[in-house]
């Protein structure tokens, strides 16, 4: 255990206030684990309209955290209001940064209903970072100053750049750690944004924020943070090579001595088959037969045939290329045609994928259920109800659904990349194997691995059960990873003390 630190944790989403993907799960859980280890944490989020709505909705259950105005900041002559609340159900103090571009806008935090980026994203997230820096420096009148700022993804990158510009002699700025949750999203803007945001012209250089003629916010973190992390050891290696480096592999190689891969954990309170509020039947490794009650309930809710002995497969996720949906579309039809499987798909995203899956469901209405949209309760019911969880992602920095699957005794079938490779074990050792993996992103590899999994399910129920027990016995909690983050924070702090 290290000495207690004041940590400002900056994210663009956090469960249960606002969520589009795994970053929200991490932001909803890691700060809590850090508080348990004795640190003082402030979670800084944009004050999206939906955050206020979520807080009100929690009020209906009688456990709404209070929402208090905490004054205003003036940034470039503009008023930025600050609010304080708590992450529902936790002790985590949340500071909300309120500008109309967040609080008056309905919909997804990053993209319009048509799926294009909000045109003022550079201003919105730069303002978020400016406000976070004022809060971290103790200049917002809230009687708290950060020792360390932990910023996440491109939306938080500019906080690291801004802090690097603070005068070290007179202001002693906090140390910075930047985490890559997904290197494919860079936060790229037109060159004119540099001037519009009033950034120093010297930053327009490939060593700093310029990226092939555009302004890159993620480089604000990658170049300027004291330490970098990403969300699995394997992804930390992968992004240092051109294939997964998204044009930033050279920079990451240059920073490799200050760059770590730390596996995500899961929120063990939220994702626990013994207590999950969304399930019809609770279970654990001693009562695995009750998992089947959830399978039957899910099938009847989705109007699937639920033929005894037929394995039920699931997929949950953003419908984007990353998630390997082309591999699924190229492989599932032949298994559906033979009536070997039943499948439930939950997700939303690119219209082409949504339509392709809907068309397939029309051909196999009793075997394939496609649920478009975001549905937290159904996500839990799928994790508990299906036998096999599909994650053929082309790349996957960590992935959380395979971790939820393991905890729920649902065997993950994954492409062996990033965090999937670090968490899913597929070998002949009955004491180790907890899922299925394939090595190349081809329909052939997915097909043969799926056949192997189905054969095990059908012909070797004992071996299947052994894998389930191994899966459920793993330690996927945040405690271990929080201790690793703490070590990185310590390193960053001791460096900045020397500077
Ligand atoms: P990513 O962050 O790349 O989207 P992860 O596997 O890390 O992938 O995390 C995705 C998270 O979002 C999981 O908690 C998953 O259950 C959730 N999720 C994704 N799509 C949906 C959906 N349509 N409905 C409910 N939950 C979803
Ligand atoms: C990203 C990644 C995912 C990871 C999540 C949380 O969205 O795509 O693999 O689990 O962030 O770190």
């Amino acid at each position: 255990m290290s000495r207690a630190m004041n940590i400002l944790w900056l994210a663009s989403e956090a469960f249960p206030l606002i969520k589009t993907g795994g970053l929200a799960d991490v932001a909803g859980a890691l700060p809590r684990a850090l508080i348990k280890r004795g640190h003082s944490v402030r979670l800084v989020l944009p004050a999206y309209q939906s955050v206020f709505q979520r807080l009100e909705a929690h009020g209906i259950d009688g456990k709404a955290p209070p929402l208090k105005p905490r004054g205003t900041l003036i940034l470039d002559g503009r008023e930025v209001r600050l609010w304080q609340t708590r992450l529902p159900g936790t002790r985590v103090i949340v500071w909300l940064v309120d500008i109309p571009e967040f609080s008056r806008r309905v919909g997804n935090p990053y993209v319009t209903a048509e799926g294009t980026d909000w045109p003022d994203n550079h201003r919105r997230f730069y303002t978020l970072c400016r406000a976070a820096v004022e809060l971290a420096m103790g200049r917002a009148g809230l009687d708290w100053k950060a020792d360390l700022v932990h910023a996440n993804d491109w939306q938080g990158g500019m906080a690291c750049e801004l802090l690097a510009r603070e005068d070290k002699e007179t202001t002693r700025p906090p140390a910075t750690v930047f985490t890559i949750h997904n290197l494919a999203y860079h936060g790229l803007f037109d060159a004119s944004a540099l001037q519009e945001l009033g950034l120093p012209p010297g930053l327009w250089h490939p060593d700093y924020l310029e990226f092939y003629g555009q302004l890159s916010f993620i480089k604000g973190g990658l170049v300027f943070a004291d330490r970098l992390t990403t969300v699995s050891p394997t992804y930390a290696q992968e992004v240092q090579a051109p294939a997964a480096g998204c044009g930033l592999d050279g920079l990451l190689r240059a920073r490799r001595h200050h760059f770590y891969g730390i596996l995500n954990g899961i929120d063990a309170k939220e994702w626990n088959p013994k207590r999950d509020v969304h399930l019809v039947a609770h279970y654990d490794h001693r009562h695995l037969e009750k998992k089947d009650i959830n399978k039957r309930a899910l099938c009847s809710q989705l109007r699937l045939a639920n033929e005894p002995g037929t394995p039920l497969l699931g997929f949950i996720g953003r419908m984007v290329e990353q998630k390997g949906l082309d591999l699924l579309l190229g492989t599932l039809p032949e298994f559906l045609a033979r009536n070997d499987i039943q499948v439930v798909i939950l997700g939303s995203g690119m219209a082409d994928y949504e339509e392709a899956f809907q068309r397939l469901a029309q051909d196999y209405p009793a075997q394939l259920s496609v649920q478009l949209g975001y549905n937290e309760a159904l996500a839990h019911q799928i994790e508990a109800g299906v036998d096999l969880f599909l994650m053929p992602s082309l790349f996957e920095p960590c992935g959380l659904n395979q971790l939820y699957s393991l905890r729920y005794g649902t065997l993950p079938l994954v492409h062996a990349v990033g965090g999937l490779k670090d968490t899913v074990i597929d070998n002949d050792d009955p004491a180790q194997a907890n899922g299925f993996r394939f090595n190349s992103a081809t329909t052939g590899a997915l097909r043969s691995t799926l056949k192997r999994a189905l054969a095990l399910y059908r012909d070797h129920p004992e071996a299947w059960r052994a894998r389930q027990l191994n899966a459920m016995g793993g330690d996927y909690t945040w405690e271990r990873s929080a201790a690793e983050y703490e070590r990185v924070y310590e390193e960053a702090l001791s460096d900045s003390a020397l500077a």
Side-chain angles (χ1 to χ4, degrees), residues 19 21-22 25 316-318 323 346-347 373-375 379 399-401 404:
K19 169 165 166 175
D25 294 11
I316 304 168
R318 295 178 295 116
K323 299 295 173 184
L346 167 63
Y374 185 88
N375 188 335
L400 290 167
N401 278 312
Y404 302 145

Side-chain angles (χ1 to χ4, degrees), residues 101-281:
E101 291 87 342
F102 288 130
S103 55
R104 298 237 181 94
R105 196 168 289 172
V106 185
N108 182 286
Y110 320 120
V111 294
T112 65
E114 287 69 47
T116 53
D117 292 345
W118 292 110
D120 51 3
N121 272 350
H122 57 302
R123 281 197 301 277
R124 300 165 79 214
F125 290 103
Y126 188 63
T127 306
L128 174 71
C129 291
R130 290 277 317 266
V133 165
E134 294 309 296
L135 288 161
M137 296 293 296
R139 293 193 295 238
L142 300 192
D143 204 19
W144 186 93
K145 186 172 185 296
D147 301 310
L148 182 130
V149 170
H150 186 161
N152 295 274
D153 277 351
W154 68 262
Q155 294 89 344
M158 290 304 289
C160 303
E161 188 283 318
L162 283 159
L163 284 166
R165 258 193 274 156
E166 291 283 337
D167 179 356
K168 291 211 166 35
E169 297 292 312
T170 54
T171 64
R172 297 198 59 75
T176 49
V177 171
F178 180 76
T179 296
I180 305 164
H181 294 265
N182 194 333
L183 194 63
Y185 300 100
H186 289 191
L188 291 180
F189 304 103
D190 196 83
S192 61
L194 190 84
Q195 203 180 4
E196 188 191 332
L197 299 175
L199 292 166
L203 289 174
W204 190 254
H205 188 280
D207 286 348
Y208 302 116
L209 300 186
E210 192 258 353
F211 185 77
Y212 297 100
Q214 288 187 288
L215 177 70
S216 160
F217 272 15
I218 199 171
K219 286 184 81 178
L222 300 182
V223 173
F224 292 100
D226 295 313
R227 289 293 181 279
L228 304 177
T229 73
T230 189
V231 287
S232 69
T234 292
Y235 192 60
Q237 292 307 314
E238 288 169 348
V239 292
Q240 292 182 50
C246 306
L248 293 163
D249 46 297
L251 170 55
L252 290 169
R253 278 196 303 279
R255 298 220 57 193
R256 67 186 176 282
H257 298 301
H258 290 162
F259 178 33
Y260 302 93
I262 303 177
L263 209 55
N264 285 334
I266 66 177
D267 183 336
K269 228 171 61 189
E270 215 36 64
W271 294 94
N272 179 357
K274 261 195 332 202
R275 278 187 257 287
D276 191 325
V277 291
H278 303 294
L279 305 190
V280 290

Side-chain angles (χ1 to χ4, degrees), residues 16 42 69 132 140 189 217 298 355 371 379 409 429-430 435 454 466 468 474 485:
R42 298 290 181 272
F189 304 103
F217 272 15
L298 183 64
E355 284 156 20
Q371 301 293 318
D429 183 348
L454 298 181
Q468 286 183 296
Y485 276 105

